């Protein structure tokens, strides 16, 4: 009886020891899972914080670019308004003199007496027979009489060449590079009245 009792107690102790070992193993497993989850969450929080900081920096840069664009647009609008006011004042001054007649807003381009610009007419002479060079303008004689003096953006030109139609003035430049760089623009054109002193 005593042996049986001892055997049973030993078996119970062994079972209890196994249960303790299993419980300890579960505890260690649970602890490691919790620690790794916490670590992953911490890493995730750091990643989110880094991402948020990046997005905030990008947002700040975008706002700075927007503010610069708004300032530049405001300056451009002021410049355009000033230019328009200057042209109106110039028009009023020319009309007050009574010698100049407003021909309207024309497309103004540029050319030079080279073959690329003039093709077969690249002989260095204008339609009026004068040498082609700076200060000469090509016009449509139906709109602006050949031989007229023009004022465009405060500069004086002689309408001595043809080759354009309508409200178009082509200014002669010294070089092909200058002609290409000039491009095309709209400008007010004034013509000296015939018979004006």
């Amino acid at each position: 009886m005593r042996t049986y009792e001892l055997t049973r107690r030993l078996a119970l102790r062994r079972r209890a020891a196994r249960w303790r070992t299993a419980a300890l193993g579960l505890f260690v497993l649970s602890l490691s899972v919790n620690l790794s989850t916490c670590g992953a969450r911490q890493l995730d929080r750091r990643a989110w914080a880094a991402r948020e900081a990046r997005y905030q920096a990008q947002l700040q840069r975008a706002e700075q670019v927007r503010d610069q664009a708004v300032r530049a647009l405001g300056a451009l609008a002021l410049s355009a308004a000033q230019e328009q006011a200057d042209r109106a004042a110039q028009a009023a001054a020319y009309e007050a003199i009574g010698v100049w007649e407003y021909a309207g807003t024309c497309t103004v381009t540029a050319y030079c007496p080279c073959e690329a610009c003039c093709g077969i007419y690249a002989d260095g002479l204008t339609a009026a027979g004068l040498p082609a060079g700076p200060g000469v303008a090509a016009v449509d004689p139906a709109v602006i009489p050949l031989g007229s003096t023009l004022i465009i953006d405060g500069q004086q030109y002689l309408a001595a060449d043809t080759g354009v139609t309508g409200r178009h003035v082509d200014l002669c430049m010294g070089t092909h590079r200058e002609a290409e760089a000039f491009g095309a623009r709209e400008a007010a054109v004034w013509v000296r009245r015939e018979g004006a002193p």
Side-chain angles (χ1 to χ4, degrees), residues 2-197:
R2 221 164 161 191
T3 316
Y4 172 74
E5 195 64 38
L6 269 171
T7 308
R8 208 180 81 160
R9 279 187 184 168
L10 279 173
L12 280 173
R13 281 187 187 157
R14 279 190 212 124
R15 207 180 296 161
R18 270 188 255 137
W19 276 104
R20 271 196 300 269
T21 306
L24 187 59
L26 279 174
F27 175 73
V28 168
L29 180 65
S30 164
L31 185 63
S32 62
V33 166
N34 282 337
L35 286 175
S36 64
T37 304
C38 287
R41 282 188 182 160
Q42 193 65 22
L43 287 174
D44 200 33
R45 278 193 200 122
R46 284 184 192 152
W48 274 104
R51 258 182 260 158
E52 188 178 350
R54 255 195 332 267
Y55 291 147
Q56 285 294 335
Q58 287 173 350
L59 184 62
Q60 275 185 331
R61 279 195 298 273
E63 286 174 349
Q64 287 171 351
V65 168
R66 181 205 60 206
D67 292 345
Q68 287 173 348
V70 167
R71 281 194 295 274
L73 188 60
L76 189 61
L78 277 174
S79 172
Q82 183 62 47
E83 187 177 330
Q84 194 171 10
D86 290 346
R87 282 188 180 176
Q90 186 182 42
Y94 288 143
E95 283 179 355
I97 294 171
V99 175
W100 300 93
E101 187 176 320
Y102 181 58
T105 299
C106 298
T107 302
V108 181
T109 55
Y111 74 104
C112 75
C114 75
E115 195 173 316
C117 290
C118 299
I120 61 169
Y121 301 103
D123 58 1
L125 295 176
T126 65
L130 298 171
V136 169
V139 297
D140 182 349
V143 178
I144 297 172
L146 210 55
S148 301
T149 302
L150 311 176
I151 290 189
I152 302 168
D153 290 331
Q155 298 293 316
Q156 207 165 352
Y157 300 92
L158 177 64
D161 210 351
T162 58
V164 294
T165 56
R167 293 192 175 284
H168 185 174
V169 177
D170 208 12
L171 305 177
C172 190
M173 299 288 165
T175 66
H176 188 70
R177 181 176 284 176
E178 287 176 304
E180 281 184 330
F182 187 86
R185 58 191 79 167
E186 298 292 311
V189 177
W190 294 86
V191 181
R192 189 174 181 86
R193 285 199 177 111
E194 287 186 35

